[in-house]
Amino acid sequence: MSRILLVAQDTSAIGKSTVTRALAECVPDAPIYEVESGRHLIELGERVRHSPIRTQRKHLDETGGEAAITEYDDPLNKMLAEPLPAIVDIGANGGVSFLETLAQMAPAFARKGKQLGVIVVVARKDDAYATGRAITAVTKSWAAARFLVVNQLHGEPEAAQVKELSKGATAVTTLAKHSFPTRALPVIAPLGLALIPQLDEDALAKHLAKDGALPDVAMAIRTRAILDAFRLAAMKAVEPAARWLIDVDKA
């Protein structure tokens, strides 16, 4: 038996890709399926199997909607044939529709000895709660485990909403907000979690220097410390899900 863990949330900019990246750090041997219109997990290199989705509207109209159905066939077939524990990052605006299609194939995954789990990411955004509930509903009958990651990126999420989404969850974890120096953001934004341990502090200090000034070592040290703390916090937030993904013998 092997397991597949899906990271889903139709609301954009709430940290779903961060959760995927944290899982990738916790389970370094797991292949990653990126079901997304474009490639985003570039720093993870050949670990990522990208399946482009979101067919153009004109094509959908011409085929009577068939393109919207078949665009998921490629990643679903690859997931079904994957022998290793795998991580699936589903692009925003496609999460619920992808999971609805996957629900039809859930018996086939079961016959192949594969368990499916889902991570729902929620943050303080009104539509995030609604899509979180939709994802919970569509996966309830076939997900062997459901994890909730409460991201405080946009502030403290509404307690009542989190309580509702927590019902029946295998584990609920929180990712606290981390604030970085504004001047450092253009430098560190493209890193991804995987590249943080490789960050050259001296090079960062030079990048952060103001025109004609000495390297800003002080800001580089502070930025590196925040980055390390953020990476660790993200990995702790996904730890229960990562353990489920690989602890098949304990099932």
Side-chain angles (χ1 to χ4, degrees):
M1 181 175 68
S2 63
R3 288 174 170 170
I4 295 174
L5 188 57
L6 304 112
V7 184
Q9 175 50 265
D10 273 2
T11 303
S12 60
I14 65 169
K16 181 178 61 62
S17 291
T18 296
V19 167
T20 300
R21 287 178 163 103
L23 282 170
E25 292 295 277
C26 288
V27 192
D29 295 329
I32 301 162
Y33 290 86
E34 186 178 27
V35 186
E36 177 64 271
S37 57
R39 296 177 183 271
H40 296 285
L41 307 174
I42 298 173
E43 78 282 357
L44 296 174
E46 295 181 358
R47 288 183 64 186
V48 180
R49 283 83 156 155
H50 177 248
S51 293
I53 60 168
R54 297 293 90 196
T55 309
Q56 293 182 359
R57 182 76 253 169
K58 181 175 181 291
H59 189 195
L60 294 178
D61 293 339
E62 290 173 348
T63 60
E66 181 182 354
I69 299 172
T70 60
E71 70 175 344
Y72 296 137
D73 287 353
D74 175 64
L76 288 171
N77 287 329
K78 289 177 179 176
M79 289 162 54
L80 196 60
E82 177 58 62
L84 298 174
I87 301 162
V88 182
D89 181 35
I90 311 169
N93 301 316
V96 173
S97 60
F98 181 83
L99 293 170
E100 287 174 341
T101 306
L102 176 57
Q104 300 172 359
M105 292 186 63
F109 279 88
R111 289 194 297 272
K112 289 278 189 178
K114 296 182 181 298
Q115 285 189 332
L116 300 169
V118 62
I119 293 183
V120 181
V121 185
V122 67
R124 189 172 180 174
K125 279 192 171 184
D126 290 342
D127 51 348
Y129 305 129
T131 54
R133 289 192 294 272
I135 290 167
T136 298
V138 78
T139 59
K140 185 176 181 179
S141 64
W142 51 264
R146 177 172 59 87
F147 302 90
L148 181 66
V149 175
V150 182
N151 192 354
Q152 296 179 340
L153 173 67
H154 301 292
E156 187 77 28
E158 295 179 24
Q161 298 280 7
V162 172
K163 183 178 180 180
E164 179 67 25
L165 288 167
S166 299
K167 292 178 180 178
T170 306
V172 180
T173 54
T174 299
L175 176 57
K177 179 180 179 179
H178 288 66
S179 298
F180 298 93
T182 302
R183 188 150 40 98
L185 290 177
V187 179
I188 65 176
L191 285 177
L193 300 184
L195 299 181
I196 291 175
Q198 305 172 33
L199 185 63
D200 186 320
E201 208 167 86
D202 291 335
L204 178 60
K206 292 178 181 178
H207 278 293
L208 295 175
K210 296 180 179 179
D211 293 340
L214 292 171
D216 197 335
V217 178
M219 182 175 286
I221 291 173
R222 288 198 306 275
T223 300
R224 176 58 188 266
I226 298 171
L227 283 168
D228 288 340
F230 176 65
R231 177 174 176 267
L232 180 60
M235 292 173 69
K236 285 185 175 180
V238 302
E239 182 180 1
R243 290 188 181 278
W244 175 86
L245 182 61
I246 59 177
D247 287 350
V248 178
D249 293 339
K250 296 181 181 180

mmCIF file with all atom_site columns, all heavy atoms in Angstrom, residues 77-98:
data_model
loop_
_atom_site.group_PDB
_atom_site.id
_atom_site.type_symbol
_atom_site.label_atom_id
_atom_site.label_alt_id
_atom_site.label_comp_id
_atom_site.label_asym_id
_atom_site.label_entity_id
_atom_site.label_seq_id
_atom_site.pdbx_PDB_ins_code
_atom_site.Cartn_x
_atom_site.Cartn_y
_atom_site.Cartn_z
_atom_site.occupancy
_atom_site.B_iso_or_equiv
_atom_site.pdbx_formal_charge
_atom_site.auth_seq_id
_atom_site.auth_comp_id
_atom_site.auth_asym_id
_atom_site.auth_atom_id
_atom_site.pdbx_PDB_model_num
ATOM 1   N N   . ASN A 1 77 ? -3.984  9.689  -14.141 1.00 0.00 ? 77 ASN A N   1
ATOM 2   C CA  . ASN A 1 77 ? -3.372  8.439  -14.601 1.00 0.00 ? 77 ASN A CA  1
ATOM 3   C C   . ASN A 1 77 ? -1.970  8.262  -14.025 1.00 0.00 ? 77 ASN A C   1
ATOM 4   O O   . ASN A 1 77 ? -1.579  7.156  -13.634 1.00 0.00 ? 77 ASN A O   1
ATOM 5   C CB  . ASN A 1 77 ? -3.316  8.408  -16.126 1.00 0.00 ? 77 ASN A CB  1
ATOM 6   C CG  . ASN A 1 77 ? -4.677  8.177  -16.754 1.00 0.00 ? 77 ASN A CG  1
ATOM 7   O OD1 . ASN A 1 77 ? -5.517  7.503  -16.178 1.00 0.00 ? 77 ASN A OD1 1
ATOM 8   N ND2 . ASN A 1 77 ? -4.898  8.733  -17.936 1.00 0.00 ? 77 ASN A ND2 1
ATOM 9   N N   . LYS A 1 78 ? -1.210  9.350  -13.941 1.00 0.00 ? 78 LYS A N   1
ATOM 10  C CA  . LYS A 1 78 ? 0.141   9.277  -13.390 1.00 0.00 ? 78 LYS A CA  1
ATOM 11  C C   . LYS A 1 78 ? 0.105   8.975  -11.894 1.00 0.00 ? 78 LYS A C   1
ATOM 12  O O   . LYS A 1 78 ? 0.922   8.202  -11.378 1.00 0.00 ? 78 LYS A O   1
ATOM 13  C CB  . LYS A 1 78 ? 0.893   10.584 -13.656 1.00 0.00 ? 78 LYS A CB  1
ATOM 14  C CG  . LYS A 1 78 ? 1.265   10.783 -15.124 1.00 0.00 ? 78 LYS A CG  1
ATOM 15  C CD  . LYS A 1 78 ? 1.934   12.124 -15.343 1.00 0.00 ? 78 LYS A CD  1
ATOM 16  C CE  . LYS A 1 78 ? 2.322   12.305 -16.817 1.00 0.00 ? 78 LYS A CE  1
ATOM 17  N NZ  . LYS A 1 78 ? 2.892   13.650 -17.072 1.00 0.00 ? 78 LYS A NZ  1
ATOM 18  N N   . MET A 1 79 ? -0.822  9.590  -11.190 1.00 0.00 ? 79 MET A N   1
ATOM 19  C CA  . MET A 1 79 ? -0.977  9.324  -9.755  1.00 0.00 ? 79 MET A CA  1
ATOM 20  C C   . MET A 1 79 ? -1.346  7.870  -9.504  1.00 0.00 ? 79 MET A C   1
ATOM 21  O O   . MET A 1 79 ? -0.837  7.235  -8.570  1.00 0.00 ? 79 MET A O   1
ATOM 22  C CB  . MET A 1 79 ? -2.042  10.241 -9.167  1.00 0.00 ? 79 MET A CB  1
ATOM 23  C CG  . MET A 1 79 ? -1.645  11.700 -9.051  1.00 0.00 ? 79 MET A CG  1
ATOM 24  S SD  . MET A 1 79 ? -3.084  12.809 -8.851  1.00 0.00 ? 79 MET A SD  1
ATOM 25  C CE  . MET A 1 79 ? -3.897  12.055 -7.444  1.00 0.00 ? 79 MET A CE  1
ATOM 26  N N   . LEU A 1 80 ? -2.201  7.335  -10.347 1.00 0.00 ? 80 LEU A N   1
ATOM 27  C CA  . LEU A 1 80 ? -2.644  5.953  -10.181 1.00 0.00 ? 80 LEU A CA  1
ATOM 28  C C   . LEU A 1 80 ? -1.485  4.977  -10.373 1.00 0.00 ? 80 LEU A C   1
ATOM 29  O O   . LEU A 1 80 ? -1.440  3.917  -9.737  1.00 0.00 ? 80 LEU A O   1
ATOM 30  C CB  . LEU A 1 80 ? -3.760  5.654  -11.181 1.00 0.00 ? 80 LEU A CB  1
ATOM 31  C CG  . LEU A 1 80 ? -4.620  4.415  -10.932 1.00 0.00 ? 80 LEU A CG  1
ATOM 32  C CD1 . LEU A 1 80 ? -5.324  4.499  -9.589  1.00 0.00 ? 80 LEU A CD1 1
ATOM 33  C CD2 . LEU A 1 80 ? -5.642  4.253  -12.053 1.00 0.00 ? 80 LEU A CD2 1
ATOM 34  N N   . ALA A 1 81 ? -0.537  5.338  -11.223 1.00 0.00 ? 81 ALA A N   1
ATOM 35  C CA  . ALA A 1 81 ? 0.593   4.463  -11.516 1.00 0.00 ? 81 ALA A CA  1
ATOM 36  C C   . ALA A 1 81 ? 1.803   4.729  -10.611 1.00 0.00 ? 81 ALA A C   1
ATOM 37  O O   . ALA A 1 81 ? 2.779   3.972  -10.660 1.00 0.00 ? 81 ALA A O   1
ATOM 38  C CB  . ALA A 1 81 ? 1.012   4.630  -12.980 1.00 0.00 ? 81 ALA A CB  1
ATOM 39  N N   . GLU A 1 82 ? 1.746   5.759  -9.775  1.00 0.00 ? 82 GLU A N   1
ATOM 40  C CA  . GLU A 1 82 ? 2.885   6.140  -8.935  1.00 0.00 ? 82 GLU A CA  1
ATOM 41  C C   . GLU A 1 82 ? 3.092   5.126  -7.800  1.00 0.00 ? 82 GLU A C   1
ATOM 42  O O   . GLU A 1 82 ? 2.204   4.911  -6.990  1.00 0.00 ? 82 GLU A O   1
ATOM 43  C CB  . GLU A 1 82 ? 2.657   7.529  -8.346  1.00 0.00 ? 82 GLU A CB  1
ATOM 44  C CG  . GLU A 1 82 ? 3.738   8.001  -7.395  1.00 0.00 ? 82 GLU A CG  1
ATOM 45  C CD  . GLU A 1 82 ? 5.106   8.023  -8.044  1.00 0.00 ? 82 GLU A CD  1
ATOM 46  O OE1 . GLU A 1 82 ? 5.285   8.773  -9.021  1.00 0.00 ? 82 GLU A OE1 1
ATOM 47  O OE2 . GLU A 1 82 ? 5.987   7.264  -7.571  1.00 0.00 ? 82 GLU A OE2 1
ATOM 48  N N   . PRO A 1 83 ? 4.279   4.490  -7.733  1.00 0.00 ? 83 PRO A N   1
ATOM 49  C CA  . PRO A 1 83 ? 4.511   3.488  -6.685  1.00 0.00 ? 83 PRO A CA  1
ATOM 50  C C   . PRO A 1 83 ? 4.927   4.078  -5.335  1.00 0.00 ? 83 PRO A C   1
ATOM 51  O O   . PRO A 1 83 ? 4.857   3.402  -4.314  1.00 0.00 ? 83 PRO A O   1
ATOM 52  C CB  . PRO A 1 83 ? 5.646   2.643  -7.262  1.00 0.00 ? 83 PRO A CB  1
ATOM 53  C CG  . PRO A 1 83 ? 6.415   3.599  -8.127  1.00 0.00 ? 83 PRO A CG  1
ATOM 54  C CD  . PRO A 1 83 ? 5.397   4.546  -8.702  1.00 0.00 ? 83 PRO A CD  1
ATOM 55  N N   . LEU A 1 84 ? 5.371   5.339  -5.310  1.00 0.00 ? 84 LEU A N   1
ATOM 56  C CA  . LEU A 1 84 ? 5.908   5.943  -4.095  1.00 0.00 ? 84 LEU A CA  1
ATOM 57  C C   . LEU A 1 84 ? 4.869   6.824  -3.406  1.00 0.00 ? 84 LEU A C   1
ATOM 58  O O   . LEU A 1 84 ? 3.917   7.288  -4.040  1.00 0.00 ? 84 LEU A O   1
ATOM 59  C CB  . LEU A 1 84 ? 7.137   6.793  -4.438  1.00 0.00 ? 84 LEU A CB  1
ATOM 60  C CG  . LEU A 1 84 ? 8.328   6.061  -5.056  1.00 0.00 ? 84 LEU A CG  1
ATOM 61  C CD1 . LEU A 1 84 ? 9.388   7.074  -5.470  1.00 0.00 ? 84 LEU A CD1 1
ATOM 62  C CD2 . LEU A 1 84 ? 8.901   5.043  -4.085  1.00 0.00 ? 84 LEU A CD2 1
ATOM 63  N N   . PRO A 1 85 ? 5.058   7.079  -2.112  1.00 0.00 ? 85 PRO A N   1
ATOM 64  C CA  . PRO A 1 85 ? 4.244   8.107  -1.462  1.00 0.00 ? 85 PRO A CA  1
ATOM 65  C C   . PRO A 1 85 ? 4.447   9.417  -2.207  1.00 0.00 ? 85 PRO A C   1
ATOM 66  O O   . PRO A 1 85 ? 5.584   9.808  -2.492  1.00 0.00 ? 85 PRO A O   1
ATOM 67  C CB  . PRO A 1 85 ? 4.815   8.178  -0.044  1.00 0.00 ? 85 PRO A CB  1
ATOM 68  C CG  . PRO A 1 85 ? 5.506   6.871  0.164   1.00 0.00 ? 85 PRO A CG  1
ATOM 69  C CD  . PRO A 1 85 ? 6.031   6.481  -1.175  1.00 0.00 ? 85 PRO A CD  1
ATOM 70  N N   . ALA A 1 86 ? 3.364   10.109 -2.542  1.00 0.00 ? 86 ALA A N   1
ATOM 71  C CA  . ALA A 1 86 ? 3.463   11.284 -3.407  1.00 0.00 ? 86 ALA A CA  1
ATOM 72  C C   . ALA A 1 86 ? 2.670   12.457 -2.851  1.00 0.00 ? 86 ALA A C   1
ATOM 73  O O   . ALA A 1 86 ? 1.698   12.295 -2.110  1.00 0.00 ? 86 ALA A O   1
ATOM 74  C CB  . ALA A 1 86 ? 2.976   10.943 -4.809  1.00 0.00 ? 86 ALA A CB  1
ATOM 75  N N   . ILE A 1 87 ? 3.103   13.655 -3.255  1.00 0.00 ? 87 ILE A N   1
ATOM 76  C CA  . ILE A 1 87 ? 2.465   14.909 -2.869  1.00 0.00 ? 87 ILE A CA  1
ATOM 77  C C   . ILE A 1 87 ? 1.854   15.525 -4.125  1.00 0.00 ? 87 ILE A C   1
ATOM 78  O O   . ILE A 1 87 ? 2.492   15.554 -5.175  1.00 0.00 ? 87 ILE A O   1
ATOM 79  C CB  . ILE A 1 87 ? 3.496   15.876 -2.262  1.00 0.00 ? 87 ILE A CB  1
ATOM 80  C CG1 . ILE A 1 87 ? 4.172   15.248 -1.030  1.00 0.00 ? 87 ILE A CG1 1
ATOM 81  C CG2 . ILE A 1 87 ? 2.873   17.211 -1.915  1.00 0.00 ? 87 ILE A CG2 1
ATOM 82  C CD1 . ILE A 1 87 ? 5.477   15.921 -0.631  1.00 0.00 ? 87 ILE A CD1 1
ATOM 83  N N   . VAL A 1 88 ? 0.632   16.018 -4.009  1.00 0.00 ? 88 VAL A N   1
ATOM 84  C CA  . VAL A 1 88 ? -0.044  16.636 -5.145  1.00 0.00 ? 88 VAL A CA  1
ATOM 85  C C   . VAL A 1 88 ? -0.445  18.055 -4.780  1.00 0.00 ? 88 VAL A C   1
ATOM 86  O O   . VAL A 1 88 ? -1.194  18.271 -3.824  1.00 0.00 ? 88 VAL A O   1
ATOM 87  C CB  . VAL A 1 88 ? -1.291  15.835 -5.575  1.00 0.00 ? 88 VAL A CB  1
ATOM 88  C CG1 . VAL A 1 88 ? -1.951  16.485 -6.791  1.00 0.00 ? 88 VAL A CG1 1
ATOM 89  C CG2 . VAL A 1 88 ? -0.928  14.390 -5.867  1.00 0.00 ? 88 VAL A CG2 1
ATOM 90  N N   . ASP A 1 89 ? 0.061   19.025 -5.532  1.00 0.00 ? 89 ASP A N   1
ATOM 91  C CA  . ASP A 1 89 ? -0.286  20.429 -5.331  1.00 0.00 ? 89 ASP A CA  1
ATOM 92  C C   . ASP A 1 89 ? -1.291  20.819 -6.412  1.00 0.00 ? 89 ASP A C   1
ATOM 93  O O   . ASP A 1 89 ? -0.974  20.832 -7.595  1.00 0.00 ? 89 ASP A O   1
ATOM 94  C CB  . ASP A 1 89 ? 0.968   21.290 -5.434  1.00 0.00 ? 89 ASP A CB  1
ATOM 95  C CG  . ASP A 1 89 ? 0.680   22.770 -5.220  1.00 0.00 ? 89 ASP A CG  1
ATOM 96  O OD1 . ASP A 1 89 ? -0.193  23.078 -4.408  1.00 0.00 ? 89 ASP A OD1 1
ATOM 97  O OD2 . ASP A 1 89 ? 1.328   23.612 -5.873  1.00 0.00 ? 89 ASP A OD2 1
ATOM 98  N N   . ILE A 1 90 ? -2.529  21.123 -5.990  1.00 0.00 ? 90 ILE A N   1
ATOM 99  C CA  . ILE A 1 90 ? -3.593  21.453 -6.938  1.00 0.00 ? 90 ILE A CA  1
ATOM 100 C C   . ILE A 1 90 ? -3.724  22.966 -7.019  1.00 0.00 ? 90 ILE A C   1
ATOM 101 O O   . ILE A 1 90 ? -3.894  23.642 -6.002  1.00 0.00 ? 90 ILE A O   1
ATOM 102 C CB  . ILE A 1 90 ? -4.944  20.848 -6.506  1.00 0.00 ? 90 ILE A CB  1
ATOM 103 C CG1 . ILE A 1 90 ? -4.778  19.367 -6.150  1.00 0.00 ? 90 ILE A CG1 1
ATOM 104 C CG2 . ILE A 1 90 ? -5.975  21.007 -7.610  1.00 0.00 ? 90 ILE A CG2 1
ATOM 105 C CD1 . ILE A 1 90 ? -5.985  18.767 -5.477  1.00 0.00 ? 90 ILE A CD1 1
ATOM 106 N N   . GLY A 1 91 ? -3.649  23.494 -8.217  1.00 0.00 ? 91 GLY A N   1
ATOM 107 C CA  . GLY A 1 91 ? -3.685  24.934 -8.411  1.00 0.00 ? 91 GLY A CA  1
ATOM 108 C C   . GLY A 1 91 ? -4.961  25.580 -7.913  1.00 0.00 ? 91 GLY A C   1
ATOM 109 O O   . GLY A 1 91 ? -6.038  24.973 -7.911  1.00 0.00 ? 91 GLY A O   1
ATOM 110 N N   . ALA A 1 92 ? -4.859  26.838 -7.480  1.00 0.00 ? 92 ALA A N   1
ATOM 111 C CA  . ALA A 1 92 ? -6.021  27.593 -7.038  1.00 0.00 ? 92 ALA A CA  1
ATOM 112 C C   . ALA A 1 92 ? -7.037  27.686 -8.169  1.00 0.00 ? 92 ALA A C   1
ATOM 113 O O   . ALA A 1 92 ? -6.678  27.733 -9.345  1.00 0.00 ? 92 ALA A O   1
ATOM 114 C CB  . ALA A 1 92 ? -5.595  28.994 -6.595  1.00 0.00 ? 92 ALA A CB  1
ATOM 115 N N   . ASN A 1 93 ? -8.303  27.684 -7.807  1.00 0.00 ? 93 ASN A N   1
ATOM 116 C CA  . ASN A 1 93 ? -9.446  27.706 -8.728  1.00 0.00 ? 93 ASN A CA  1
ATOM 117 C C   . ASN A 1 93 ? -9.696  26.364 -9.398  1.00 0.00 ? 93 ASN A C   1
ATOM 118 O O   . ASN A 1 93 ? -10.647 26.236 -10.175 1.00 0.00 ? 93 ASN A O   1
ATOM 119 C CB  . ASN A 1 93 ? -9.294  28.793 -9.808  1.00 0.00 ? 93 ASN A CB  1
ATOM 120 C CG  . ASN A 1 93 ? -9.155  30.176 -9.219  1.00 0.00 ? 93 ASN A CG  1
ATOM 121 O OD1 . ASN A 1 93 ? -9.884  30.525 -8.300  1.00 0.00 ? 93 ASN A OD1 1
ATOM 122 N ND2 . ASN A 1 93 ? -8.218  30.955 -9.723  1.00 0.00 ? 93 ASN A ND2 1
ATOM 123 N N   . GLY A 1 94 ? -8.849  25.378 -9.110  1.00 0.00 ? 94 GLY A N   1
ATOM 124 C CA  . GLY A 1 94 ? -9.076  24.059 -9.700  1.00 0.00 ? 94 GLY A CA  1
ATOM 125 C C   . GLY A 1 94 ? -9.229  22.965 -8.676  1.00 0.00 ? 94 GLY A C   1
ATOM 126 O O   . GLY A 1 94 ? -9.450  21.811 -9.024  1.00 0.00 ? 94 GLY A O   1
ATOM 127 N N   . GLY A 1 95 ? -9.117  23.318 -7.386  1.00 0.00 ? 95 GLY A N   1
ATOM 128 C CA  . GLY A 1 95 ? -9.103  22.310 -6.340  1.00 0.00 ? 95 GLY A CA  1
ATOM 129 C C   . GLY A 1 95 ? -10.365 21.487 -6.250  1.00 0.00 ? 95 GLY A C   1
ATOM 130 O O   . GLY A 1 95 ? -10.330 20.255 -6.295  1.00 0.00 ? 95 GLY A O   1
ATOM 131 N N   . VAL A 1 96 ? -11.511 22.148 -6.146  1.00 0.00 ? 96 VAL A N   1
ATOM 132 C CA  . VAL A 1 96 ? -12.764 21.423 -5.974  1.00 0.00 ? 96 VAL A CA  1
ATOM 133 C C   . VAL A 1 96 ? -13.090 20.594 -7.205  1.00 0.00 ? 96 VAL A C   1
ATOM 134 O O   . VAL A 1 96 ? -13.461 19.418 -7.099  1.00 0.00 ? 96 VAL A O   1
ATOM 135 C CB  . VAL A 1 96 ? -13.921 22.393 -5.661  1.00 0.00 ? 96 VAL A CB  1
ATOM 136 C CG1 . VAL A 1 96 ? -15.251 21.653 -5.652  1.00 0.00 ? 96 VAL A CG1 1
ATOM 137 C CG2 . VAL A 1 96 ? -13.697 23.060 -4.300  1.00 0.00 ? 96 VAL A CG2 1
ATOM 138 N N   . SER A 1 97 ? -12.933 21.173 -8.402  1.00 0.00 ? 97 SER A N   1
ATOM 139 C CA  . SER A 1 97 ? -13.257 20.427 -9.620  1.00 0.00 ? 97 SER A CA  1
ATOM 140 C C   . SER A 1 97 ? -12.334 19.227 -9.811  1.00 0.00 ? 97 SER A C   1
ATOM 141 O O   . SER A 1 97 ? -12.772 18.149 -10.225 1.00 0.00 ? 97 SER A O   1
ATOM 142 C CB  . SER A 1 97 ? -13.190 21.339 -10.846 1.00 0.00 ? 97 SER A CB  1
ATOM 143 O OG  . SER A 1 97 ? -11.900 21.891 -11.005 1.00 0.00 ? 97 SER A OG  1
ATOM 144 N N   . PHE A 1 98 ? -11.041 19.382 -9.463  1.00 0.00 ? 98 PHE A N   1
ATOM 145 C CA  . PHE A 1 98 ? -10.118 18.254 -9.563  1.00 0.00 ? 98 PHE A CA  1
ATOM 146 C C   . PHE A 1 98 ? -10.511 17.155 -8.581  1.00 0.00 ? 98 PHE A C   1
ATOM 147 O O   . PHE A 1 98 ? -10.526 15.966 -8.924  1.00 0.00 ? 98 PHE A O   1
ATOM 148 C CB  . PHE A 1 98 ? -8.691  18.715 -9.285  1.00 0.00 ? 98 PHE A CB  1
ATOM 149 C CG  . PHE A 1 98 ? -7.661  17.616 -9.383  1.00 0.00 ? 98 PHE A CG  1
ATOM 150 C CD1 . PHE A 1 98 ? -7.140  17.237 -10.609 1.00 0.00 ? 98 PHE A CD1 1
ATOM 151 C CD2 . PHE A 1 98 ? -7.220  16.948 -8.252  1.00 0.00 ? 98 PHE A CD2 1
ATOM 152 C CE1 . PHE A 1 98 ? -6.197  16.222 -10.705 1.00 0.00 ? 98 PHE A CE1 1
ATOM 153 C CE2 . PHE A 1 98 ? -6.288  15.939 -8.336  1.00 0.00 ? 98 PHE A CE2 1
ATOM 154 C CZ  . PHE A 1 98 ? -5.769  15.578 -9.568  1.00 0.00 ? 98 PHE A CZ  1
#
